[in-house]
Amino acid sequence: MFNKRNQLDETLNQMLDNPKFHDYYIFLTETNKITNLTRITDIDSVYYKHFYDSIILSKHLDLKNKTILDIGAGAGFPSIPLKIIEDSLQVTIVDSLNKRIRFLDDLVDKLNLEGVKNIHGRAEELETKNHYDIVISRAVARLNILVELTLPFVKPGGWFVAYKSSNYREELDEALTGIKKLGGSFDRAETYQIDNEESHVLIFIKKVKSTDNIYPRQFAKIKNNPL
Ligand code: SAM
């Protein structure tokens, strides 16, 4: 059974103390037997690579009473673990696969989470532009594409945070022109250790001004002709 406390890591201990993570683990792995949600299923890996990886953001941004949009959350990562540890967070999830949205609706009921809205649709079709305090996304697209699916929805003064693997430098360089065109500014990258083998990075992009209404473009244009 997973239990690797670390006296210096309050975030990790907060996760271990919260029974909702165990309920999430059980529901995720049970549903995964009939519908494809994740390749990772053993308890240690789900806790580290999904739950702990997701909640790392709480070490860097104050999430109290913030509105957060998660683009392509799949089985709920990173936004649902963040909601479990910060109940005042108002979460909107958009995912283009309806079976994942149905799973998330059931999960939200099971865990008794209030203030989570799951939308079946594509990010580039959302109308809530320049609106959210924070937009997050993990494992959805290369950064030069992802910025157009995310930054238009951040309000000026807010943040887009991309969860990436530690070899992010080239991806970031490719995305810098687009970030600027969309009203963003690269702030910093924070590297962190997931377990003994893996390190990941959070890329913080500040929204410095409203995004022009022509963005995001249709997906084919975003993909074939990144900014
Ligand atoms: N973020 C989750 C994670 O880290 O485990 C899921 C990652 S999964 C590889 C990518 C998800 O993004 C899928 O559920 C897919 O349906 C969704 N997706 C891809 N493009 C999207 C778009 N343009 N708008 C909304 N969802 C999208």
Side-chain angles (χ1 to χ4, degrees):
M1 175 57 192
F2 177 93
N3 193 358
K4 291 177 183 138
R5 286 182 176 275
N6 176 342
Q7 291 202 323
L8 298 175
D9 193 336
E10 221 178 281
T11 309
L12 176 70
N13 296 338
Q14 209 183 344
M15 172 182 84
L16 293 172
D17 287 338
N18 195 322
K20 287 195 178 179
F21 283 107
H22 189 255
D23 296 344
Y24 191 173
Y25 171 72
I26 299 290
F27 190 56
L28 174 71
T29 48
E30 282 305 309
T31 313
N32 202 47
K33 290 176 184 161
I34 44 173
T35 176
N36 176 27
L37 295 165
T38 177
R39 278 181 298 111
I40 296 170
T41 53
D42 73 276
I43 189 160
D44 280 24
S45 300
V46 171
Y47 268 70
Y48 273 117
K49 294 181 197 294
H50 282 326
F51 299 159
Y52 185 59
D53 190 43
S54 295
I55 62 177
I56 286 290
L57 180 63
S58 67
K59 293 188 183 199
H60 300 282
L61 286 184
D62 176 15
L63 301 175
K64 257 199 182 5
N65 297 311
K66 296 290 192 298
T67 54
I68 199 163
L69 170 68
D70 188 351
I71 300 289
F77 310 119
S79 52
I80 297 291
L82 287 167
K83 172 70 183 174
I84 293 174
I85 60 159
E86 181 45 69
D87 192 43
S88 68
L89 198 60
Q90 297 298 306
V91 176
T92 303
I93 283 174
V94 61
D95 200 289
S96 52
L97 252 193
N98 203 23
K99 68 172 182 177
R100 304 225 160 112
I101 292 296
R102 283 201 301 269
F103 165 77
L104 290 171
D105 284 340
D106 292 344
L107 178 70
V108 163
D109 281 350
K110 267 219 153 29
L111 301 183
N112 273 319
L113 301 175
E114 278 177 21
V116 179
K117 188 171 163 194
N118 299 316
I119 300 172
H120 173 225
R122 297 196 58 90
E124 59 276 18
E125 287 162 9
L126 286 175
E127 286 181 354
T128 41
K129 293 190 190 172
N130 300 300
H131 178 79
Y132 297 92
D133 296 317
I134 305 164
V135 177
I136 52 178
S137 191
R138 188 183 85 155
V140 170
R142 207 167 160 83
L143 197 60
N144 61 345
I145 291 168
L146 191 61
V147 288
E148 196 169 343
L149 301 176
T150 51
L151 262 176
F153 307 105
V154 184
K155 74 176 178 201
W159 294 96
F160 164 49
V161 185
Y163 285 65
K164 288 282 173 187
S165 61
S166 50
N167 57 344
Y168 66 96
R169 199 61 244 188
E170 194 186 323
E171 249 189 86
L172 176 61
D173 287 344
E174 269 175 24
L176 288 174
T177 310
I179 291 170
K180 195 159 179 237
K181 279 188 186 159
L182 294 160
S185 169
F186 167 68
D187 186 76
R188 66 190 195 278
E190 299 274 1
T191 304
Y192 57 97
Q193 204 71 25
I194 281 297
D195 50 28
N196 293 336
E197 297 133 37
E198 260 180 86
S199 66
H200 290 175
V201 69
L202 295 178
I203 299 177
F204 288 83
I205 296 166
K206 181 105 181 156
K207 184 80 174 260
V208 289
K209 57 175 194 218
S210 284
T211 306
D212 193 315
N213 214 20
I214 59 171
Y215 303 117
R217 297 163 297 161
Q218 287 181 343
F219 190 69
K221 287 195 180 141
I222 297 174
K223 188 162 176 274
N224 296 331
N225 189 15
L227 292 171

